[in-house]
Amino acid sequence: MGSETEQLQQIIDQLRREIELHNYRYYVLDAPTITDAQFDRLMADLQQLESDYPHLITPDSPTRRVGGKPREGFTTVQHTVPLLSLANAFGDGELKDFDRRVSGALSNEPYDYVVELKIDGLAVSLTYRDGQMVRGATRGNGATGEDITANLKTIRSIPLRLNKPVDLLEVRGEVYMPKKSFAELNRRREERDEPTFANPRNAAAGSLRQLDPVVTAGRNLSIFVYGIGAAELNGERLPDTHLAGLQWLESLGLRVNTYHQLCQDIDEVISYCRLWQDKKADLPYQIDGIVVKVNSLAQQQALGATMKSPRWAIAFKFLPEQAKTTVRDIIVSVGRTGAVTPTALLDPVTVAGSTVSRATLHNLDIIREKDIRIGDRVVIHKAGDVIPEVVEVLKEHRTGAEIIFNMPAVCPACGAEVVRPSGESAHRCTGAACPARLLEGLIHFASRGAMNIDGLGPAVLTQLVEAGLVKDVSDLYSLTLEQLLNLERFADKSAENLVRAIAASKANPLHRLIFALGIRHVGERAARVLAEHYGALPSIMDARLEELTAIMEIGPKIAESVVNFMREPQNRALIERLIDHGVNVVAEAAPTAGPGSPLAGKTLVLTGTLASLKREDAKELIEKAGGKVASSVSKKTDYVVVGDEPGSKYEKAVKLGVPVIGEEELLTMVKPVF
Ligand code: IVH
């Protein structure tokens, strides 16, 4: 290794150590010492170095957390030491029975217990070799699990490297989703009309079993490690109590829950369980009981295990909490994607440690299915200790005065028509300028695939909305330099650039504007088809359903959505305002690429980062030259365009003998059409 490379290696190592330390302080200790922006800068520096010197990338680099590619399925893993489950104890009596069994089996020798929170998530096993994480697996049936290494690596509280290079260590822990993330995930899924998860446990399990680690990475999972499966230490002795074991795991940089405690006898254990029955509601994650473990490892061994569970431990289970109350009213609220969601207003009642006065009813189907009426006596619970829900109606309490609920015909936030698109369970507001949907609509409008306005990201848009300067997308085109300069964070140059970028977007091709309007189900492809077919936005405004469905590539869902959107007077007025501002609403002349274009009729696949072209721009150029961009490589692919750090598509192209070209070649091929 040359000395320059050595120096570089040292710089990269140092940077990685620094990042790992801050990662540990943030995600494991919950005590960061630098700001998020400073952390992002360190990561950006490392990313830059690794992209300049790819041969110095290692699998345990902090940049590799989301490095894995989507897979076809999971491979199975044979656990060397099986992952047992726990027997349950409901109530004090069963805890005392357990204690009698322990005491008897230990022939009355002294013993103590460690009590821990029983985290409600998914059991996993992590294997470290020479201190490096080499494998992560689900518990499965205890003997065999699934290899989910790539997904587990995306969890920031799982160290990719231990503080000490232990020869071999296999630890067990629980991966969970914090209550807040669970509520947020379900809210988003409900708005998108996707099925919601019943509790944080299911959400964590669903997120871990994703074939694409990128999805897992976006789910904000975390871990608590609670036990050692196997260990080989060079010379060193393993701790001889469970408590010392937890402390040792912590010293290695693993995240151990802090609420564990040593108890001298079963009465202390019982008080600990009682304490958490009430206090569990205050935790940011869900627990479903308390785990009681004999502390001495020698005694654990002496007690042994049955086929299913150890005799030295038991899970004290909390009873699920429910309460009875009355539905006083049913109101609706409008979410960011326009979903109109009903909520029950309840007489306040305490459930799982907190006062509940409203419960989500999800959608009209669920209200009808459970037959929930205004005035009903109902049983409620908290889904996963978090989201209050109506479990059932106590119909025997009905007086006949109960009122059947119906969805409002117009949106309570903007007055636009509320529709229930066919095949969906959610009702939706059709108003593009609905204040409840404003920010999300603006972010989409300015985004790269849509109007592609540089410098107009979520942060700036939030500022503009908060300052009252933008009430719908057309307001963007009347923003002035002075207005921007009055806002925080804007200097002469940045304000000028933004005004210029907004003005430049007026000349965008029509399909970008159609996509930018955010009509449900109208993606980039459908927007292009509509632009090409109709040639001008005003014609689309008057398109009829049958006419739209007759177009190839426009299905009934898209057609219905376009008609609903264009029928709404507020949306028509918005389009008129955009036209008044001079935004282009006509399509370019017929495609410029003649049969002479080398890309006419060809199918291309893009992989890796191109040096000068953004992916959307490359796609646009190819399509203008008469070509098509596909997402996967097959024998029918004509060219694969390869940039930096190409994915598996590159390998596949080579394997299938598909010609591979670079950005420069692509640029020459698209040139003749300009
Ligand atoms: S100890 C042999 N400790 O509960 C002992 N388990 O049915 C095995 N769990 O599969 C488990 N928190 O998923 C232990 N502090 C904790 C736990 C815990 C949650 C889960 C784990 C296990 C299930 C037991």
Side-chain angles (χ1 to χ4, degrees), residues 237-285:
R237 257 167 44 99
L238 258 181
D240 53 14
T241 63
H242 179 66
L243 190 62
L246 291 179
Q247 284 155 356
W248 181 63
L249 292 174
E250 212 170 352
S251 77
L252 294 175
L254 291 156
R255 187 161 183 253
V256 175
N257 191 282
T258 49
Y259 295 114
H260 51 75
Q261 188 179 298
L262 197 63
C263 291
Q264 299 307 327
D265 55 38
I266 202 70
D267 291 327
E268 266 187 51
V269 168
I270 291 171
S271 330
Y272 190 82
C273 293
R274 287 217 184 111
L275 174 82
W276 281 104
Q277 174 80 52
D278 296 333
K279 257 184 40 170
K280 72 179 198 304
D282 304 333
L283 287 168
Y285 42 83

Side-chain angles (χ1 to χ4, degrees), residues 82 92 100 229 277 359 428 470 486 514 575 617:
D92 304 355
R100 268 190 290 275
Q277 174 80 52
R428 290 186 187 276
V470 176
N486 276 333
I514 298 173
I575 295 174
D617 299 337

Side-chain angles (χ1 to χ4, degrees), residues 82-88 115-124 139 172-175 201 224-227 242 246 257 288-293 308-310 312-313 315 317:
L83 277 81
L84 299 179
S85 69
L86 294 169
N88 293 325
V115 280
E116 290 168 12
L117 304 185
K118 186 168 187 299
I119 313 294
D120 200 7
L122 212 77
V124 298
R139 171 176 179 272
R172 278 88 194 267
E174 196 83 352
V175 168
R201 206 195 92 79
F224 283 121
V225 169
Y226 52 68
H242 179 66
L246 291 179
N257 191 282
D288 62 339
I290 299 293
V291 184
V292 185
K293 300 174 179 174
K308 266 172 49 196
S309 50
W312 47 266
K317 297 289 281 251

Side-chain angles (χ1 to χ4, degrees), residues 438-512:
L438 181 58
L439 189 61
E440 178 145 324
L442 287 167
I443 293 171
H444 171 74
F445 187 84
S447 67
R448 274 226 301 215
M451 294 300 265
N452 194 20
I453 306 176
D454 250 1
L456 197 58
V460 173
L461 285 166
T462 308
Q463 252 186 317
L464 293 172
V465 170
E466 279 173 2
L469 292 175
V470 176
K471 297 207 167 52
D472 65 51
V473 293
S474 75
D475 288 341
L476 292 172
Y477 294 100
S478 42
L479 284 174
T480 62
L481 264 184
E482 293 69 44
Q483 284 174 327
L484 292 182
L485 286 170
N486 276 333
L487 298 176
E488 232 177 89
R489 282 198 306 187
F490 272 101
D492 286 354
K493 187 121 185 71
S494 52
E496 259 171 47
N497 285 345
L498 184 54
V499 170
R500 198 169 316 127
I502 293 174
S505 75
K506 290 185 194 174
N508 273 344
L510 175 61
H511 64 83
R512 281 188 173 269

